[in-house]
Amino acid sequence: MSFTLAPLMQNAFLLWLLVALLSVLVQLLTTRGILSLPIRRIEALDRIDDMIGRATEMGGTVMVGTGSARLTSSDALESMMGFAAVRYVAEQTARLGTKLLVTTGSPDHNPIVEDTVSQAARVAGNPDYYRVGEQVRLIGGDFYSYITATLQLLDPQSPENVRALLGFGGSGGYSASGPTVGMAANLAGVMSMGGTANVHQIHNYVACFDYAIIGDEIYALSAYLTKDKRQVGTIMGLDIAKMILIVLEVGGAAFVAIAGRKLFT
Amino acid sequence: MAMPYITRRLPLTVLFIATSITIVNYFFRGSPELSTSAKMLNNWAVVLFAFALAVGIVQLTVLRSRWIMNPKETPRRRGLSVLFLVEMWIITIIGLLQSSKGAQFSWISQNIYTTLNGAQYGMIGFYITLACYKTMKVRRWDIAIFTIVCWIHLVANTPLVSYFIGFGWFNFSQWIYFWPSTAGGKALTIIAALGMVSVGVRGMLGLERGVLGGGGG
């Protein structure tokens, strides 16, 4: 049995290996106290507590959406970050006694999110806060129903009285969901935060949500919120990998521009 | 404190083995056994998704039934819940009996589902228009850049402008689209891809436990 790298995979594999090795290395160094690097601030994530606090003062509900990406799809990682946000928000709302509503757009999110909210309530010392089938709601199996139900929940006339909206996770790659939900939240006077790594949606999120988490920031969400040293270590590893890539790209471009013509002709 | 075996250690071990097989199979060729294992894992994922779907349906049935039974709920919510349950179970049963290619199921899909989807999209179209208007407002310096570029594109794609000032403006907007915009997009794509790899590595190492729900601790 012999292994060979799949065609066109050499560069991708090297990239993967670089990030993996750096993540493991920096994680080891940080957990053992040998290395201490500051993690950069993500302004939007620092505002989650403010949003929960405001919703609590107004007697409203904090709504968290995990998107409509299936866990078998390529957008699943964004939904996983949505679960991490659910965990954090549920702990805070359970402590404060604030109403929580988690909306899912794919049925495979539900068992995970139900379990997450239940665990968060126990950790917050308020196990009675979790009510089966009340706080987690499946509102759609695809983009259209997910967005329409979200709009209905954001309606000022809705009995849910949503005062803060946090939307994470892929929504199936539809560029329209960002402005639609962001706009509805804005019209209803709801504080909104959106997170996506989808390049087609990023500009919409920045323009329409009060706070936006874009690009790789969303993948740092769980590490940032939990402040777990080992997870933060992997984020640092990623940042170092990014710097190496930037140097390689800029250096490579400069090299090709200056000497490339001579070398390749 | 020792890591609970059933809720933490076992799922993390399974996660590590499954992701390792999938990743090695993605990058390397040469082992039919590995390829078969990876394919089998993918099929299992589909089966697991079907189970999760069933959980979702049961949960919806329980929640809606509770609303219907509760006299304190509004008549609107109770009525809509009845309608919802009837529709959901009729479609589920027809789908189970006929598969997705059955005549009645296809009819429902084409004449009800697709039509309602179109109607819903038509309704949210107003929000999208409003959102476009909102993005044109200069609220911060970064949105100012966005707004300026939006206007350049908007004006360039107006036929009257091309008629009066020629194609120079249009070419300028195309230059923005193909060079700075594509470069920015590529940068974001690369960075997001690195982030995805990082999450994958964290998952393999058992650090990213959000997907385990409450067991993720």
Side-chain angles (χ1 to χ4, degrees):
Chain A
M1 191 167 71
S2 64
F3 286 105
T4 49
L5 266 173
L8 304 174
M9 280 296 159
Q10 285 88 344
N11 294 337
F13 181 65
L14 283 176
L15 185 67
W16 190 89
L17 207 63
L18 174 76
V19 177
L21 287 176
L22 276 170
S23 298
V24 175
L25 187 71
V26 179
Q27 181 221 329
L28 277 173
L29 294 174
T30 45
T31 44
R32 290 179 186 189
I34 301 166
L35 186 72
S36 176
L37 292 171
I39 186 167
R40 69 190 157 90
R41 278 189 66 204
I42 301 174
E43 181 77 21
L45 291 178
D46 288 337
R47 298 289 173 193
I48 291 182
D49 288 337
D50 294 347
M51 292 174 73
I52 296 170
R54 184 171 179 254
T56 308
E57 282 172 4
M58 296 175 83
T61 303
V62 179
M63 186 165 123
V64 188
T66 59
S68 59
R70 297 201 158 129
L71 289 183
T72 45
S73 74
S74 58
D75 285 333
L77 288 178
E78 287 179 50
S79 295
M80 275 171 64
M81 294 301 113
F83 301 155
V86 168
R87 171 68 191 246
Y88 181 79
V89 173
E91 263 187 53
Q92 305 305 318
T93 52
R95 276 200 189 98
L96 298 165
T98 313
K99 274 175 75 181
L100 172 74
L101 179 65
V102 184
T103 55
T104 63
S106 180
D108 52 355
H109 294 189
N110 279 47
I112 298 167
V113 176
E114 287 274 4
D115 205 23
T116 304
V117 176
S118 155
Q119 175 75 4
R122 283 200 296 273
V123 169
N126 187 6
D128 294 337
Y129 176 77
Y130 170 66
R131 297 181 304 280
V132 185
E134 286 286 321
Q135 284 143 321
V136 183
R137 208 174 292 172
L138 174 70
I139 58 167
D142 66 4
F143 166 74
Y144 299 104
S145 48
Y146 184 67
I147 295 300
T148 313
T150 305
L151 296 184
Q152 196 197 0
L153 289 166
L154 288 173
D155 190 329
Q157 305 292 321
S158 163
E160 305 298 343
N161 188 24
V162 175
R163 293 286 101 208
L165 165 77
L166 297 96
F168 300 100
S171 54
Y174 295 89
S175 331
S177 65
T180 310
V181 174
M183 201 55 238
N186 187 266
L187 288 174
V190 174
M191 269 180 104
S192 60
M193 178 187 291
T196 185
N198 187 330
V199 177
H200 296 106
Q201 292 197 24
I202 282 174
H203 52 282
N204 294 327
Y205 275 57
V206 171
C208 296
F209 284 97
D210 293 328
Y211 302 105
I213 302 164
I214 58 169
D216 66 319
E217 285 178 356
I218 192 166
Y219 298 119
L221 192 144
S222 65
Y224 195 86
L225 291 178
T226 56
K227 306 272 190 261
D228 175 17
K229 267 190 177 180
R230 291 175 304 169
Q231 287 205 50
V232 170
T234 61
I235 300 291
M236 290 170 185
L238 171 68
D239 280 348
I240 295 170
K242 256 190 273 178
M243 284 173 208
I244 293 171
L245 271 180
I246 290 168
V247 171
L248 282 176
E249 282 178 10
V250 174
F255 178 74
V256 170
I258 297 163
R261 197 167 290 174
K262 284 179 191 169
L263 283 175
F264 297 119
T265 51
Chain B
M1 199 172 74
M3 198 185 268
Y5 185 77
I6 294 293
T7 55
R8 294 273 288 278
R9 197 176 288 270
L10 182 65
L12 288 177
T13 311
V14 173
L15 189 71
F16 180 77
I17 295 168
T19 46
S20 302
I21 291 172
T22 313
I23 287 170
V24 172
N25 179 63
Y26 184 74
F27 284 119
F28 295 95
R29 296 282 179 273
S31 165
E33 292 88 357
L34 194 72
S35 169
T36 313
S37 306
K39 205 177 279 179
M40 192 171 68
L41 282 171
N42 275 330
N43 290 339
W44 286 0
V46 175
V47 175
L48 280 173
F49 176 75
F51 272 106
L53 197 68
V55 172
I57 288 174
V58 170
Q59 196 205 22
L60 277 174
T61 308
V62 170
L63 177 67
R64 296 284 173 165
S65 305
R66 202 179 289 166
W67 285 353
I68 294 165
M69 305 286 189
N70 188 359
K72 286 180 187 169
E73 286 293 349
T74 56
R76 181 169 171 260
R77 182 177 257 188
R78 293 172 79 185
L80 286 173
S81 295
V82 172
L83 191 66
F84 175 88
L85 283 181
V86 170
E87 279 175 7
M88 186 178 78
W89 279 106
I90 286 175
I91 294 168
T92 305
I93 290 165
I94 291 174
L96 286 172
L97 293 175
Q98 296 189 333
S99 86
S100 60
K101 286 173 187 163
Q104 279 75 28
F105 192 84
S106 299
W107 187 89
I108 290 171
S109 175
Q110 281 169 15
N111 296 292
I112 299 178
Y113 181 75
T114 311
T115 320
L116 286 175
N117 265 351
Q120 281 179 325
Y121 197 66
M123 283 193 290
I124 61 175
F126 292 108
Y127 276 107
I128 299 169
T129 314
L130 205 55
C132 291
Y133 164 72
K134 196 191 164 197
T135 54
M136 294 289 182
K137 284 184 184 170
V138 180
R139 290 178 294 142
R140 298 193 302 265
W141 70 268
D142 50 344
I143 294 186
I145 297 170
F146 185 49
T147 309
I148 291 165
V149 175
C150 276
W151 276 111
I152 290 170
H153 278 292
L154 199 71
V155 172
N157 285 291
T158 310
L160 265 178
V161 173
S162 302
Y163 180 77
F164 282 114
I165 63 172
F167 280 94
W169 190 266
F170 180 76
N171 290 340
F172 177 55
S173 87
Q174 289 295 294
W175 180 84
I176 291 175
Y177 182 77
F178 283 111
W179 295 97
S181 172
T182 307
K186 293 279 180 204
L188 280 168
T189 308
I190 292 169
I191 298 296
L194 281 175
M196 283 174 89
V197 173
S198 172
V199 176
V201 172
R202 290 211 299 271
M204 275 184 76
L205 296 174
L207 299 174
E208 189 61 67
R209 298 190 286 261
V211 79
L212 302 179

